[in-house]
Amino acid sequence: MAFTLATWNINSVRLREGLVCKLLQEEAPDVLCLQECKSPVEKIPTEAFRDLGYTHMVARGQKGYNGVAILSKLPITEVGAHDFADLGHARHVAAQLENGVTIHNFYVPAGGDVPDRAVNEKFGQKLDYLTQMRDHFHAESPKKAILVGDLNIAPREDDVWSHKQLLKIVSHTPIEVEHLSAAMDAGDWVDVTRQDIPEGLLYSWWSYRARDWDAADKGRRLDHVWATSDIAAAAHSSRVLRAARGWEQPSDHAPVFASFDL
DNA sequence: ATGTCACGCTCCGCGTGA
């Protein structure tokens, strides 16, 4: 069975219902994982998505912040949600396809501005969240699984516009990269995007604050697609839909795609 | 380094989070 999957931090699914529909119509992934829905589950505009063939959804939501949803043309069943670091936030949901593949959709905490847990509680929460992800995957040993989402970390030097200038900026500090790598190793996860696109600068997020995000191109690769090593070789055709960052009233993130032949 | 967004709440701006 072959399928295509996309992950997109939408920064309000209600405000950008039209952009979600545009993506579904023009790109037609079988599965779309959304983060930062900023909506209770019952207020997600599912009808428009259903009309486009996305008749299945699993989601976790809360008012105003966070929130994750998996929209699918293929039948899915929910297989749980975790509240790592006990934040009381809707940052993860998991679904299973009929072929037995599990899809984890994550929105890892951003971590605040100061990369020091002694003075910034949010940074500590981000590190703790990643540590609990690591411990969970160490205990679970996931198989036939895909993990996507806004992980709020750009791990590689070529995942940011300036490695040197971002070393002390939250999202690219060595301690965050270490924590992310530990979670990755614990679940035997493979970075599918970088398996497909091993070389060169690659971003999925550009700040709203830039005068001209496209010209400045000061991006970061915060959005990821991983797969467990047993299915990673089935992945192909990874890409970032950079054009979506230029759509009208856009999200500050662009969708990231991968396809699997299983 | 603090430029832009989106949210909820209480009002029609402000604080918070990113």
Side-chain angles (χ1 to χ4, degrees):
Chain A
M1 179 192 140
F3 63 95
T4 296
L5 166 153
T7 178
W8 196 11
N9 179 319
I10 192 61
N11 187 17
S12 176
V13 71
R14 284 184 280 168
L15 188 69
R16 291 190 239 280
E17 174 186 351
L19 292 192
V20 174
C21 289
K22 181 177 167 71
L23 186 83
L24 297 176
Q25 283 182 297
E26 294 183 1
E27 303 295 333
D30 296 288
V31 178
L32 175 62
C33 297
L34 297 172
Q35 303 87 36
E36 281 208 87
C37 295
K38 296 187 175 178
S39 174
V41 173
E42 64 273 15
K43 291 189 176 176
I44 295 174
T46 54
E47 201 174 310
F49 308 147
R50 198 179 305 126
D51 290 347
L52 294 170
Y54 294 80
T55 52
H56 304 90
M57 182 179 84
V58 303
R60 285 290 186 277
Q62 60 185 93
K63 194 164 60 174
Y65 302 100
N66 309 314
V68 287
I70 305 176
L71 309 179
S72 180
K73 294 203 277 192
L74 306 170
I76 50 173
T77 49
E78 194 191 303
V79 290
H82 292 287
D83 177 25
F84 293 124
D86 299 313
L87 300 172
H89 296 172
R91 295 182 175 274
H92 169 260
V93 72
Q96 195 162 66
L97 296 167
E98 286 181 324
N99 63 7
V101 170
T102 300
I103 298 168
H104 290 276
N105 183 14
F106 275 98
Y107 176 50
V108 170
D113 289 332
V114 182
D116 178 354
R117 65 181 308 153
V119 296
N120 170 19
E121 183 186 29
K122 291 201 183 78
F123 194 72
Q125 290 171 346
K126 181 178 196 175
L127 298 181
D128 291 346
Y129 193 96
L130 293 162
T131 297
Q132 292 193 19
M133 280 176 70
R134 178 200 69 188
D135 293 346
H136 173 74
F137 291 132
H138 183 74
E140 187 188 55
S141 299
K143 302 283 183 264
K144 285 182 70 177
I146 297 168
L147 184 158
V148 307
D150 178 2
L151 306 185
N152 267 312
I153 296 171
R156 291 172 30 149
E157 293 192 17
D158 53 3
D159 290 338
V160 294
W161 65 275
S162 168
H163 169 63
K164 197 176 167 185
Q165 286 183 251
L166 290 175
L167 269 171
K168 292 179 178 174
I169 302 298
V170 173
S171 73
H172 192 61
T173 64
I175 192 167
E176 290 171 89
V177 174
E178 284 166 21
H179 278 65
L180 188 69
S181 296
M184 189 177 222
D185 293 346
D188 197 21
W189 297 103
V190 173
D191 179 342
V192 160
T193 309
R194 281 305 193 178
Q195 176 181 266
D196 279 352
I197 310 169
E199 305 287 337
L201 299 174
L202 189 64
Y203 314 139
S204 65
W205 173 88
W206 295 261
S207 172
Y208 282 125
R209 294 182 192 178
R211 241 176 269 143
D212 182 341
W213 71 273
D214 194 32
D217 202 20
K218 292 183 173 179
R220 305 178 201 170
R221 189 171 70 100
L222 304 180
D223 302 278
H224 297 260
V225 179
W226 294 355
T228 47
S229 63
D230 54 339
I231 62 166
H236 63 94
S237 304
S238 293
R239 64 197 170 98
V240 176
L241 188 67
R242 183 181 171 116
R245 180 63 178 78
W247 290 352
E248 194 180 334
Q249 198 176 21
S251 167
D252 46 354
H253 294 253
V256 182
F257 286 76
S259 298
F260 290 84
D261 289 339
L262 287 166

